[in-house]
Amino acid sequence: HAKHAFLDGLCFYDAGIGALVRKRRQLAEALRHALEHDELDVHYQAQMSLSTGKVQGYEALLRWTHPQLGPISPSEFIPVAEENGLIGSLGVWVLRRACMDAAAWDPPCRVAVNVSAVQFMDASLPRLVHEVLLETGLPPQRLELELTETALIKDKARSLHIIRQIKALGVGLALDDFGSGYSSLETLRSFPFDKIKLDRGFVDGIEQDRQSKAIVRAVLALGKSLDIPVLAEGIETDEQMSVLRLEGCDEGQGYLLGRPTPVGDLAHKSGPAPMVPPRQHRVA
Ligand code: C2E
Ligand code: MG
Ligand code: MG
Ligand code: MG
């Protein structure tokens, strides 16, 4: 009897996994279809200098609206694309689209494009980036690639080789979600990043807990001594914003400063009107 119950449980468990696998497979199929039928779009979120309030660039964020299922989050479909061999074509599509859009913006406005771990390990990435830059006419200085540490730590020598080729093109590199992984400091030490993107988890806690604030401070000090600008992700409130400016954070991004927006609706490119007053200096 007990054995029966166990088997029942097992069957139920298997059905659960089966359903999940089926769902992922369906999602992969739908994504393949989406790529071919123009269901994908790129939205842009402003990255702002916290001292001048000027837009420095925009991060390209993939958007997928399925005709029946509605909008599906990239956190959900990017892993599916990685597992099903679709990330390559998806990645090129976003890169080409983002560079094409950015080529029309007022210089020196940049575009930042996310590169997934799987996409990054493809040795042809530098050549691909080079081709897209030539094709779209975007100057390399106006493109930045965002990488997370998971993309890099699996094979350091290989990663470094790819990174050096990308940097040789003149393209910038940002370390995304800094602090949320296992070896952020090691990653920072091993690879020549041009920007640190402080994970929004720390920004989120900055008003409430001492720990988050202390960590933000330490990361900003680290950035200063390494001479790497720090961008704070996920700024949602005025209070978070004023703490970050007071602490000397270089750049910010978040719903408070601007939501991800379709390219046609971007209010201004590198527009001259500062949105925030100049940074207040801390009184020692
Ligand atoms: P990410 O690169 O860290 O992007 C930031 C995410 O935070 C975006 O979510 C953005 O919409 C969201 N965000 C921005 N400001 C705020 C805020 O103030 N509060 C909160 N709660 N969230 C905010 P999104 O667009 O859903 O993308 C999620 C992740 O999916 C991205 O994280 C990135 O890892 C991945 N992703 C998005 N687009 C692409 C792409 O084109 N290629 C690849 N490989 N990955 C992508
Ligand atoms: Mg990013
Ligand atoms: Mg991030
Ligand atoms: Mg993320």
Side-chain angles (χ1 to χ4, degrees):
H1 205 103
K3 192 180 168 197
H4 233 106
F6 173 73
L7 283 178
D8 282 351
L10 202 67
C11 285
F12 178 73
Y13 178 74
D14 280 351
I17 295 285
L20 204 71
V21 168
R22 249 190 328 277
K23 194 192 162 208
R24 289 212 137 189
R25 206 170 288 150
Q26 280 166 2
L27 213 54
E29 237 1 273
L31 190 54
R32 193 167 284 132
H33 184 273
L35 257 167
E36 288 158 12
H37 294 82
D38 212 32
E39 286 169 25
L40 296 169
D41 201 5
V42 180
H43 284 193
Y44 295 93
Q45 189 180 31
Q47 302 184 327
M48 225 170 253
S49 157
L50 292 190
S51 52
T52 66
K54 280 191 187 167
V55 173
Q56 308 292 297
Y58 292 93
E59 178 175 6
L61 294 161
L62 250 176
R63 291 295 177 261
W64 176 23
T65 308
H66 186 277
Q68 278 84 46
L69 302 172
I72 302 172
S73 159
S75 329
E76 196 173 342
F77 69 77
I78 294 288
V80 172
E82 288 183 330
E83 285 161 24
N84 291 276
L86 291 172
I87 194 67
S89 14
L90 201 62
V92 189
W93 187 86
V94 177
L95 185 68
R96 185 169 286 133
R97 180 62 192 278
C99 291
M100 219 152 37
D101 287 339
W105 301 341
D106 300 334
C109 191
R110 288 183 315 251
V111 68
V113 179
N114 292 284
V115 174
S116 98
V118 175
Q119 194 189 351
F120 177 77
M121 287 321 268
D122 185 342
S124 64
L125 184 68
R127 186 173 44 81
L128 193 85
V129 170
H130 185 54
E131 279 169 13
V132 171
L133 287 172
L134 289 178
E135 188 187 312
T136 58
L138 184 73
Q141 296 73 21
R142 290 174 56 200
L143 175 65
E144 188 168 73
L145 299 182
E146 296 194 0
L147 300 171
T148 56
E149 70 173 40
T150 46
L152 305 168
I153 52 179
K154 281 175 202 144
D155 187 341
K156 243 161 113 176
R158 187 185 167 89
S159 298
L160 200 56
H161 182 63
I162 296 176
I163 279 190
R164 285 196 176 124
Q165 288 176 281
I166 291 172
K167 290 212 49 161
L169 297 172
V171 171
L173 278 184
L175 180 51
D176 207 350
D177 303 342
F178 184 81
S180 68
Y182 293 104
S183 56
S184 305
L185 294 179
E186 175 62 14
T187 305
L188 205 52
R189 186 175 65 142
S190 308
F191 304 102
F193 278 98
D194 304 293
K195 186 187 286 179
I196 295 169
K197 294 193 75 179
L198 178 63
D199 191 71
R200 79 160 182 269
F202 299 107
V203 173
D204 195 31
I206 204 171
E207 315 113 296
Q208 297 95 336
D209 60 280
R210 273 172 6 100
Q211 287 83 354
S212 292
K213 191 166 177 176
I215 288 167
V216 169
R217 236 179 224 164
V219 172
L220 293 176
L222 186 64
K224 287 253 150 36
S225 49
L226 291 174
D227 205 20
I228 302 175
V230 176
L231 178 148
E233 296 190 286
I235 304 176
E236 292 181 353
T237 69
D238 288 314
E239 201 182 343
Q240 290 166 350
M241 172 84 157
S242 53
V243 173
L244 287 162
R245 295 178 70 211
L246 212 63
E247 298 293 337
C249 185
D250 304 279
E251 286 185 41
Q253 186 179 345
Y255 294 162
L256 181 74
L257 305 171
R259 297 250 168 191
T261 306
V263 68
D265 298 347
L266 294 180
H268 56 116
K269 298 355 180 192
S270 47
M275 215 195 77
V276 288
R279 176 191 296 163
Q280 301 152 266
H281 287 284
R282 198 140 57 108
V283 191

